[in-house]
Amino acid sequence: MAVEEVRCFLAEQKYVTAHGASGELLIPDTLKELERELGERFLRVHRNALVALSYVTGLRRGEDGSWQVELEGCAISPAVSRRHLAEVKQRLLAR
């Protein structure tokens, strides 16, 4: 899967999964390594999630007050942590 196809990276236990329109792929990198390598193209929204800015279509607030990122072409909506919410909103408005 090419990095241009990736909608988000999600970390679960010792694995990182790349989610794209064509499916999922387990990768050996950590989110910290991916964040450093991919720079401005991806945004940290939670300690376990990076999202591709070019595929973000919006933020959705749940009934419980939690926030999720909506991504074009992806059934997954990664959670946005309270710690990252202000930066996420700022980066999305600046696009």
Side-chain angles (χ1 to χ4, degrees):
M1 179 183 310
V3 73
E4 292 80 20
E5 287 182 50
V6 175
R7 282 14 180 208
C8 65
F9 293 102
L10 297 178
E12 295 178 32
Q13 301 194 14
K14 294 185 179 194
Y15 300 100
V16 172
T17 305
H19 294 270
S22 60
E24 302 175 358
L25 179 66
L26 282 176
I27 58 174
D29 302 311
T30 66
L31 286 182
K32 187 173 252 183
E33 292 168 341
L34 291 166
E35 189 174 25
R36 189 172 38 247
E37 182 181 324
L38 300 172
E40 296 297 310
R41 294 168 61 181
F42 285 80
L43 175 63
R44 174 79 70 151
V45 296
H46 196 280
R47 66 180 170 78
N48 71 347
L50 291 173
V51 298
L53 282 169
S54 60
Y55 290 108
V56 173
T57 58
L59 288 175
R60 179 181 65 227
R61 189 167 192 170
E63 291 181 17
D64 63 355
S66 66
W67 290 88
Q68 289 93 30
V69 178
E70 295 180 333
L71 298 168
E72 174 187 324
C74 189
I76 304 251
S77 294
V80 179
S81 69
R82 288 181 300 212
R83 179 175 161 229
H84 290 95
L85 184 59
E87 181 185 352
V88 169
K89 286 181 176 180
Q90 181 180 24
R91 289 281 305 273
L92 292 179
L93 289 173
R95 291 190 300 165

